[in-house]
């Protein structure tokens, strides 16, 4: 490059990127892939004008998409697409819906969804798996009960994010703790200062939002239940894969073998219930997903989903956003934008606020959950040490402003995934994803008030 990228130029580039992404997804209603690809093209041409070699640009792209965790992450998405299809075919999701109609009151449906997804997410440590399994069943129930789909989606995602954030099995939780260099369980305990208030406020608001639901007739619920029972293998045996999922989490089995085991058990259930299905039809189910043909339009719309092909849009977005992030990092654009800000922060409230907004910014510009923790963590770690804040303060801030926000970004990996899994656009469920919206606010409040703020020994207000 002819010269180092300075702060003003970095900010200008990031603002242009944000305009392209925002106008494409929000203004024109495009799928996220097209605006992200446009931003990559813009960066490539800009770097060419700066006389950067194509080999150097390729180094950034390669670094972005070749990190060790990403190939595994992409494979997990493919397995989740398969799991959704076999869970529907095996009658697991329909059984959950029928059971839910008998157990959950329509009046308390929305807060119940939030609590159930919180518990499942906490047990298995995966927001993605929670949304794509139990979440789909609850979403189907909500649609039958006449609840606003965006509200149901917001409650599902809020619960899944809470569980993922507070679980010792979660990748993002372990990552935040590792980046800040603190103990995992100390990190989880310290997160309660911002997480519990966000959970309680979310639960209260979901309770009141759920009361405004007009609901639907008992006849409609009975009709859907009857359709599910008639066309799917609805039984208590459907609980077996769910129990297996919890057992694998208890044994701390990694995500890939857990998903494989669940798919195998569900496949056995499919062929026991329908031995004439055939290998060819089963292969089509895995590849293209389940196609519901019950004759009930509402049920067919809810349960026609899953398969490897359903995840390809998300996989392509992952690859493109990682390539974009690789270019931004390799060329020093993110670092140049952050560095002047970091050097001037010497008070806890301002530092935590800046770190929160840095995490939000990385989510906006890069769209990748892990990088929204790694980049601000590495950039702000010296500042936290300089003013005497504990690594626990940093790791909590990284979670509150990084991993939980990715679900709210239309072109973000998590946001794109849950929008595809539930069939609700990000911008529709965003206002109802209360936990993700409140977590950064309580973290900032902690920074300015000092409540729950951890200091290094010998530092702090009383030192």
């Amino acid at each position: 490059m002819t010269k180092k990228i300075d702060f003003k130029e970095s900010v200008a580039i990031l603002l242009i990127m944000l305009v392209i992404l925002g106008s494409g997804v929000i203004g024109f209603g495009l799928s996220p892939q097209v605006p992200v690809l446009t931003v990559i093209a813009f960066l490539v041409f800009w770097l060419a004008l700066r006389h950067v070699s194509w080999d150097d640009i390729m180094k950034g792209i390669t670094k972005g998409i070749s990190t060790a965790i990403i190939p595994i992450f992409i494979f997990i998405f493919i397995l989740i697409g398969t799991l959704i299809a076999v869970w529907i075919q095996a009658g697991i999701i329909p059984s959950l819906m029928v059971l839910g109609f008998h157990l959950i009151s329509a009046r308390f449906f929305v807060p119940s969804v939030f609590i159930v997804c919180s518990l499942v997410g906490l047990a298995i440590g995966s927001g993605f798996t929670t949304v794509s399994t139990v979440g789909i069943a609850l979403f189907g129930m909500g649609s039958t009960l006449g609840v606003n789909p965006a509200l149901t989606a917001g409650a599902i995602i809020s619960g899944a994010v809470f569980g993922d954030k507070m679980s010792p099995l979660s990748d993002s939780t372990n990552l935040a703790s590792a980046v800040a260099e603190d103990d995992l369980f100390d990190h989880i305990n310290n997160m309660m200062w911002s997480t519990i208030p966000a959970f309680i406020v979310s639960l209260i608001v979901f309770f009141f939002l759920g009361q405004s639901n007009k609901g639907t007739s008992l006849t409609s619920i009975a009709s859907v239940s009857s359709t599910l029972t008639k066309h799917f293998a609805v039984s208590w045996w459907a609980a077996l894969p769910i129990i297996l999922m919890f057992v694998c989490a208890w044994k701390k089995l990694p995500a890939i073998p857990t998903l494989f085991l669940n798919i195998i058990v569900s496949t056995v259930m499919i062929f026991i219930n329908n031995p004439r299905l055939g290998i060819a039809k089963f292969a089509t189910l895995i590849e293209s997903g389940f196609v519901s043909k019950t004759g009930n339009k509402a049920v067919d719309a809810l349960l026609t989903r899953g398969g490897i092909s359903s995840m390809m849009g998300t996989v392509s977005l992952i690859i493109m956003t990682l390539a974009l992030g690789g270019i931004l990092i390799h060329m020093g654009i993110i670092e140049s934008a952050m560095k002047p800000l970091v050097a001037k922060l010497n008070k806890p409230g301002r530092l935590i606020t800046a770190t929160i907004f840095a995490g939000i910014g990385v989510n906006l510009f890069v769209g990748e959950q892990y990088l929204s923790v790694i980049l601000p963590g590495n950039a702000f770690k010296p500042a936290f040490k300089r003013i005497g804040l504990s690594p626990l303060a940093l790791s909590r801030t990284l979670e509150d402003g990084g991993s939980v926000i990715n679900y709210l970004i239309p072109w973000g990996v998590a946001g794109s995934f849950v929008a595809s899994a539930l069939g609700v656009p990000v911008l529709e469920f965003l206002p109802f994803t209360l936990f993700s919206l409140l977590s950064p606010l309580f973290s900032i409040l902690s920074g300015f008030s000092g409540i729950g703020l951890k200091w290094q020994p010998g530092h702090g207000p009383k030192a």
Side-chain angles (χ1 to χ4, degrees):
M1 297 178 67
T2 55
K3 64 177 182 177
K4 187 177 180 180
I5 305 170
D6 60 21
F7 173 75
K8 291 182 179 179
E9 189 174 7
S10 297
V11 171
I13 293 166
L14 294 175
L15 288 176
I16 292 171
M17 286 174 50
L18 188 58
V19 169
I20 295 172
L21 293 169
S23 60
V25 175
I26 301 171
F28 293 99
L30 303 176
S31 64
Q33 287 87 343
V34 175
V36 171
L37 190 61
T38 303
V39 166
I40 293 174
F42 157 72
L43 279 175
V44 169
F45 280 112
W46 171 78
L47 291 169
L49 293 175
R50 297 285 313 259
H51 304 292
V52 178
S53 69
W54 177 245
D55 287 342
D56 207 22
I57 296 172
M58 281 301 299
K59 284 181 182 178
I61 294 174
T62 303
K63 285 181 180 179
I65 63 178
S66 64
T67 51
I69 196 170
I70 297 308
I72 297 174
F73 197 47
I74 290 173
F75 191 52
I76 287 173
F77 274 162
I78 292 172
L79 290 179
I80 286 176
T82 303
L83 185 68
I84 292 172
V86 296
W87 266 37
I88 297 174
Q89 178 73 64
I92 297 160
I93 288 177
S95 295
L96 285 174
M97 290 176 62
V98 173
L99 178 64
F101 288 137
H102 287 91
L103 296 181
I104 300 178
S105 166
R107 181 183 177 187
F108 302 107
F109 175 75
V110 177
S112 297
V113 166
F114 177 52
I115 293 172
V116 168
C117 288
S118 296
L119 294 174
V120 173
L122 188 63
I124 66 176
S126 171
F128 291 139
T129 306
T130 302
V131 170
S132 58
T133 53
V134 177
I136 289 178
L138 292 169
F139 185 80
M141 288 179 57
S143 298
T144 304
L145 294 170
V147 181
N148 178 359
L151 175 58
T152 304
I156 292 168
I157 298 163
S158 290
V161 172
F162 168 83
D164 192 328
K165 180 182 178 185
M166 296 300 290
S167 173
L169 304 176
S170 167
D171 288 341
S172 60
T173 303
N174 278 271
L175 178 63
S177 177
V179 169
E181 300 178 18
D182 59 24
D183 179 76
L184 174 62
F185 289 96
D186 288 342
H187 163 60
I188 292 173
N189 288 332
N190 187 56
M191 280 199 295
M192 292 184 182
W193 288 101
S194 60
T195 302
I196 297 304
F199 180 89
I200 293 172
V201 173
S202 297
L203 183 60
I204 293 171
V205 175
F206 280 134
F207 175 81
F208 284 105
L209 290 176
Q211 300 302 303
S212 64
N213 173 52
K214 295 180 180 178
T216 189
S217 66
L218 293 176
T219 304
S220 177
I221 296 172
S223 174
V224 170
S225 294
S226 175
T227 300
L228 293 172
T229 305
K230 181 179 179 181
H231 290 87
F232 296 92
V234 175
S235 69
W236 286 101
W237 283 106
L240 184 60
I242 302 172
I243 294 170
L244 176 62
M245 190 167 62
F246 283 101
V247 170
C248 290
W250 177 55
K251 293 291 185 179
K252 298 183 179 179
L253 207 63
I256 288 179
T258 296
L259 291 170
F260 264 127
L261 283 172
N262 218 296
I263 290 168
I264 291 169
V265 170
S266 301
T267 300
V268 172
M269 293 175 63
I270 289 172
F271 281 101
I272 289 175
N273 295 328
N274 189 4
R276 297 181 181 180
L277 179 66
I279 299 299
K281 288 185 178 179
F282 180 72
T284 301
L285 170 73
I286 297 298
E287 181 182 351
S288 304
F290 183 83
V291 179
S292 179
K293 297 178 180 179
T294 65
N296 185 314
K297 291 183 180 179
V299 172
D300 291 343
L302 287 169
L303 298 183
T304 298
R305 61 185 67 220
I308 294 173
S309 60
S310 70
M311 292 292 107
M312 288 302 101
T314 302
V315 168
S316 67
L317 184 61
I318 293 172
I319 294 171
M320 285 191 288
T321 53
L322 288 169
L324 173 59
I327 296 172
L328 292 172
I329 296 167
H330 184 65
M331 298 302 165
I333 297 170
I334 296 288
E335 182 184 359
S336 295
M338 286 185 180
K339 198 170 183 179
L341 179 64
V342 175
K344 296 179 180 179
L345 296 170
N346 54 14
K347 292 185 178 181
R350 293 178 182 178
L351 178 57
I352 287 173
T353 302
T355 308
I356 290 284
F357 278 98
I360 294 172
V362 172
N363 275 308
L364 282 171
F365 296 119
V366 181
E368 212 288 310
Q369 189 177 29
Y370 294 117
L371 291 178
S372 70
V373 172
I374 295 170
L375 295 181
N378 291 331
F380 287 88
K381 189 187 298 183
F384 274 75
K385 289 182 179 179
R386 187 179 67 244
I387 68 172
L389 283 174
S390 166
L392 292 170
L394 173 61
S395 59
R396 186 184 71 186
T397 306
L398 294 176
E399 290 252 38
D400 289 336
S403 55
V404 304
I405 299 297
N406 199 256
Y407 290 82
L408 308 181
I409 309 299
W411 50 88
V413 172
S416 175
F417 169 77
V418 295
S420 174
L422 298 177
V424 180
V426 175
L427 295 180
E428 290 187 15
F429 66 67
L430 187 154
F432 301 107
T433 312
L434 300 175
F435 182 79
S436 291
L437 294 171
L438 291 169
S439 289
L441 295 179
F442 280 107
S443 195
I444 292 171
L445 180 62
S446 172
F448 281 103
S449 67
I451 298 174
L453 194 61
K454 302 296 183 183
W455 295 84
Q456 298 176 30
H459 294 79
K462 298 179 181 179

